[in-house]
Amino acid sequence: MKISILDDYFDTVRTLACFRKLDGHEVTVWNDHVQDTDALAARLKDSECLVLIRERTKIQAPLLERLAGLKLISQRSVYPHIDVAACTRLGVIVSSGQHAGTPSYAAAELTWALILAAARQLPQQMASHMPVHEVTIPPDFPRRVPQ
């Protein structure tokens, strides 16, 4: 299988023990970032598999339609940069490991952000910096009269 690994800036993938699992495959590791569709299409024209490092390179329909031999895109984590509908239409499998077996800190971090926002009254403080609009209270508006 012809495998292209994109955006490995520091050329670290080859140093990982798991890289040996690709023995017997034709692997090309790209250390630079290219986003131009024509340049990517030329670079990846024979690739059957793309291995993406994070969300650096956008893989959209105009590129996918030019990669006739592409069968698989492997991506760790989220994949907002991949046109999944185009992949589905073209029969390209998108495989993404969603950190199985490792904790997700996002929910805990967001919970603490909400707790801190409530404790420090951040929404109210932000609102106090907004421009004030004059409000006219109708004379028949029920008022609370101190006793």
Side-chain angles (χ1 to χ4, degrees), residues 3-23 27-31 50-54 56 74 76:
I3 302 170
S4 289
I5 301 175
L6 304 183
D7 300 315
D8 184 14
Y9 296 151
F10 300 107
D11 203 22
T12 56
V13 171
R14 289 183 240 257
T15 68
L16 301 174
C18 62
F19 188 76
R20 286 186 294 245
K21 292 183 178 187
L22 299 177
D23 287 349
V27 180
T28 304
V29 179
W30 299 97
N31 305 117
L50 298 180
V51 178
L52 307 179
I53 308 288
R54 302 288 308 165
R56 294 178 181 141
S74 176
R76 173 146 167 90

Side-chain angles (χ1 to χ4, degrees), residues 73-92:
I73 297 174
S74 176
Q75 165 72 50
R76 173 146 167 90
S77 192
V78 297
Y79 42 88
H81 57 298
I82 300 173
D83 186 340
V84 176
C87 288
T88 301
R89 181 172 45 81
L90 296 167
V92 177

Side-chain angles (χ1 to χ4, degrees), residues 1 17 23 27 31 36 40 47 61 70 74 76 79 85-86 100 106 111 125 130 138:
M1 181 175 272
D23 287 349
V27 180
N31 305 117
D36 179 71
L40 278 171
S47 296
L70 188 62
S74 176
R76 173 146 167 90
Y79 42 88
T111 300
Q125 296 296 330
M130 300 297 179

